[in-house]
Amino acid sequence: MASCMRFRVNLKTFIKSISIKPYRNYDFPKSYSLNKNHPTAQKVVSFYDEEINKYASKPISPVKFQDLLRFGHPPLSPEKLVTSAQHVLKELPPRLAKRVQAFQNLPYIVGINPHLAYVYGLYYESFEYLRSYPEIKTSEDNIKFVDDLLTVVKSFADVIPRLSQGFRECQRYMSEEAIQNFLDGMIRARIGIRLIAEQHIALHHNLGPEHVGILNTALQPGQLFKSTGKLVEQICEINYGVSPKLELSGHVDAKFKYCPVHLEYIAIELLKNAFRATAEFYQKENISKHGSPNYSSELDLPPVTVTIAKDQPQICLLISDRGGGIPLSHMPHIFQYSFTTVSSFDSTDGSDSSAGAGNIFDIQSKMAMQSGIGGPMAGLGYGLPMTRIYAQYFGGGLEVQSIEGYGTDVYLTLPNIHENMQDVVI
């Protein structure tokens, strides 16, 4: 079958040939397999690699969040940290191997896309590195492992943009459903892999009495949305010269047990959508009424509101905006990857921002400013589907209700991890 054509290719040579240098922003450990002196550096990689098949065929041991919390609050004894490291080294290779195998099952013409080949290389080399990592027996071994593991985690920073670009270029070769299923599995597995790795790294840092590694046992969603709102206001002002304000109501001082990194991602994506919709809707209104998108002041924009309600086993949040709502024709597609209403880079006057040399420096300036404060307001199309996966990962949910011409309500439900701990499997 053409989609499963067998071929052998030296991964390092192939990636170099497509002008993508793996890990270019990171100083990997000298033992990392892309180092020319490492035994696996010259390994010929096949899409039917025996080691990949061996590890991928292993059943994934369900890791409950309770397992990650069993070591207790830092600081931990050296013996407990070594045990945690051994657990990580056991869990990650089979999970990475399954992701590599998922890439290998893609149609051949999709698998050789430069962006997807880059991501495949990241997963393959990470698998090889951790599979062949020396046994961790001492505290010194663990200290080195933590540094190496952190470097591996950082190497995956641009995976999502590359997946997005790769599948944009290859969407003609796969059905929408096939792409959706692949990315759903990839992102869920990525969350689990990062949780296992980052929990071990975090156990080496005493972040406060309310923290057990990456879990905050007294997380305040009101405070998190407040701080995130300030960040999103800055991004919005850079893009549009104006920004709505954020208003909190309800149980604003509520606390619950959750992973703050996950909630921060969810918050920034949902607030960016709401702020952008509000700013664009009212700028369009000003164009029609006054002939200028810059007529509005902050007082003209209605606020984005976040209402918090705490029930014993969960937290419910309602994020509301008056940004004109979502067109009815778009609603069936809002959770599809790469679906976006942005045709190019954000343009506030409705024109194509890529048209005309006069806009190039404005675009570069905006992107440079955004790179330091959280990225552009929109464009990849992965924000909402990924947000829903993050919300659902621990048993929560995300629903969107919209009135075209008025605004949008997003209902976010998040479990108190402790109350649901027996059911949470990573």
Side-chain angles (χ1 to χ4, degrees), residues 265-341:
Y265 176 83
I266 292 170
I268 197 169
E269 289 300 328
L270 295 181
L271 291 181
K272 281 165 69 174
N273 286 346
F275 275 63
R276 172 177 174 257
T278 302
E280 288 190 349
F281 182 68
Y282 281 86
Q283 285 195 338
K284 290 176 182 177
E285 289 284 300
N286 284 325
I287 290 175
S288 63
K289 292 179 180 179
H290 309 287
S292 170
N294 300 317
Y295 181 82
S296 289
S297 67
E298 292 183 11
L299 297 176
D300 295 318
L301 272 66
V304 172
T305 64
V306 176
T307 304
I308 303 170
K310 182 179 180 181
D311 192 9
Q312 186 59 30
Q314 63 185 9
I315 288 275
C316 301
L317 299 98
L318 170 62
I319 299 92
S320 301
D321 68 69
R322 288 171 54 190
I326 301 171
L328 190 61
S329 61
H330 289 175
M331 286 298 293
H333 309 291
I334 59 175
F335 290 113
Q336 294 174 359
Y337 294 100
S338 297
F339 174 78
T340 176
T341 58

Side-chain angles (χ1 to χ4, degrees), residues 52 55-64 67-68 87-102 123 126-127 130 185-186 188-197 393 425-426:
I52 291 293
Y55 277 83
S57 64
K58 292 182 178 181
I60 295 292
S61 302
V63 179
K64 295 184 178 181
D67 297 331
L68 299 183
H87 170 76
V88 172
L89 208 51
K90 173 186 175 184
E91 289 296 330
L92 292 189
R95 296 167 187 269
L96 290 167
K98 287 184 182 295
R99 291 306 97 205
V100 171
Q101 197 170 69
Y123 275 92
S126 297
F127 161 76
L130 294 177
M186 180 64 64
R188 286 194 180 96
R190 183 174 183 265
I191 292 173
I193 289 169
R194 290 183 69 93
L195 274 173
I196 294 170
Y393 195 81
V425 178
I426 298 173

Side-chain angles (χ1 to χ4, degrees), residues 25-50:
N25 294 324
Y26 304 100
D27 296 324
F28 269 73
K30 289 183 179 180
S31 59
Y32 205 79
S33 61
L34 282 182
N35 184 284
K36 64 181 180 180
N37 296 320
H38 192 277
T40 64
Q42 303 301 321
K43 179 180 176 66
V44 175
V45 180
S46 169
F47 266 20
Y48 290 86
D49 184 275
E50 291 182 3

